[in-house]
Amino acid sequence: MSRFVKILRAVMIGAPGSGKGTISGRLERDFGVVHLSSGDLLRNNVMQGTEVGMLAKAFIDKGELVSDEVMIKLVDDVLQEIEGKGWLVDGFPRTIHQAEELDKRRHIDMVINLDVPFATIVERIRQRWVHAPSGRIYHTEFNPPRTPGLDDVTGEPLTQRADDMPEAVMERLRVYDQLTRPVIEFYRYVKKIQFLTLPACSSLSVI
């Protein structure tokens, strides 16, 4: 029996482009957990003009990272709405402060860490295409659209994000490594939560 059957609350850590969304989606489908992408939550709230979305937009418009306090509120508000259900959050926490605050508010059963070389990530992201209105993400190798260049649902053209260009990706990875390494150490050595590292191209069957 899969060890993941007993997991009710988990977080997935991985650099941008490491495959968090793809793997989380499969776990949601196969094991019935609610998948929460912090990136999707952020974009949706900004687009909808919610209170937390407007707070986040103020940082984004200045080219700054969204503050820990805003990200904590964003994720915790949704976790309150699904109280009693199993969940898997990807892309959060990204800083030690976010991790400590989440630990105070929620019990976590497992941390899944995606260990993918940065060179592999840059190449993956180069092949990533997005349907901007919905946020649906495609990849020419791993998750290609049925018709090249077009969204499966609407048939509208796909685009590439400006922050998916190689130079922008490397800067995001540098910042990620600086901020997230302490988070990994916090969960692995301080909280000693069950910690599973998945190397690049590993199979979900190990979960």
Side-chain angles (χ1 to χ4, degrees):
M1 180 180 293
S2 168
R3 284 181 290 155
F4 204 87
V5 171
K6 296 182 180 180
I7 297 174
L8 297 177
R9 298 159 297 272
V11 298
M12 179 172 287
I13 297 174
S18 60
K20 297 187 301 297
T22 299
I23 294 179
S24 296
R26 293 175 185 171
L27 295 174
E28 178 183 38
R29 178 193 66 202
D30 294 342
F31 300 102
V33 294
V34 178
H35 170 217
L36 301 174
S37 164
S38 62
D40 287 348
L41 290 175
L42 186 60
R43 283 187 289 273
N44 291 341
N45 276 268
V46 170
M47 290 176 61
Q48 295 168 12
T50 65
E51 177 185 357
V52 69
M54 296 307 294
L55 291 173
K57 188 175 185 297
F59 289 94
I60 295 171
D61 287 347
K62 291 185 290 186
E64 300 176 358
L65 292 174
V66 177
S67 72
D68 285 346
E69 287 68 25
V70 172
M71 290 304 302
I72 291 165
K73 176 173 174 53
L74 177 74
V75 174
D76 194 58
D77 283 353
V78 178
L79 292 179
Q80 289 185 36
E81 295 175 3
I82 60 172
E83 189 75 39
K85 297 182 180 179
W87 45 260
L88 173 68
V89 179
D90 86 58
F92 178 93
R94 286 192 177 180
T95 69
I96 189 64
H97 179 56
Q98 291 176 10
E100 290 171 343
E101 285 300 310
L102 181 62
D103 180 66
K104 293 176 184 177
R105 303 168 188 226
R106 308 288 165 185
H107 173 77
I108 299 173
D109 299 294
M110 174 180 274
V111 174
I112 302 171
N113 177 43
L114 303 186
D115 184 15
V116 183
F118 284 0
T120 300
I121 290 174
V122 172
E123 179 60 22
R124 282 184 182 178
I125 293 180
R126 189 180 65 82
Q127 302 179 67
R128 185 163 68 180
W129 293 81
V130 178
H131 179 246
S134 68
R136 283 185 288 274
I137 298 175
Y138 299 88
H139 190 279
T140 54
E141 181 179 354
F142 301 118
N143 181 37
R146 289 192 291 266
T147 302
L150 300 178
D151 178 52
D152 286 350
V153 177
T154 66
E156 295 172 342
L158 302 176
T159 59
Q160 286 189 299
R161 297 172 179 162
D163 61 356
D164 281 351
M165 297 298 102
E167 296 80 6
V169 172
M170 286 306 300
E171 176 61 16
R172 287 160 60 197
L173 293 176
R174 184 193 67 77
V175 172
Y176 165 83
D177 186 63
Q178 180 181 26
L179 293 177
T180 308
R181 190 175 298 277
V183 175
I184 293 174
E185 294 176 352
F186 171 75
Y187 282 130
R188 197 167 200 171
Y189 302 115
V190 179
K191 300 305 298 182
K192 297 182 179 180
I193 292 172
Q194 187 174 4
F195 195 94
L196 176 64
T197 295
L198 299 182
C201 304
S202 63
S203 170
L204 285 177
S205 62
V206 302
I207 298 178

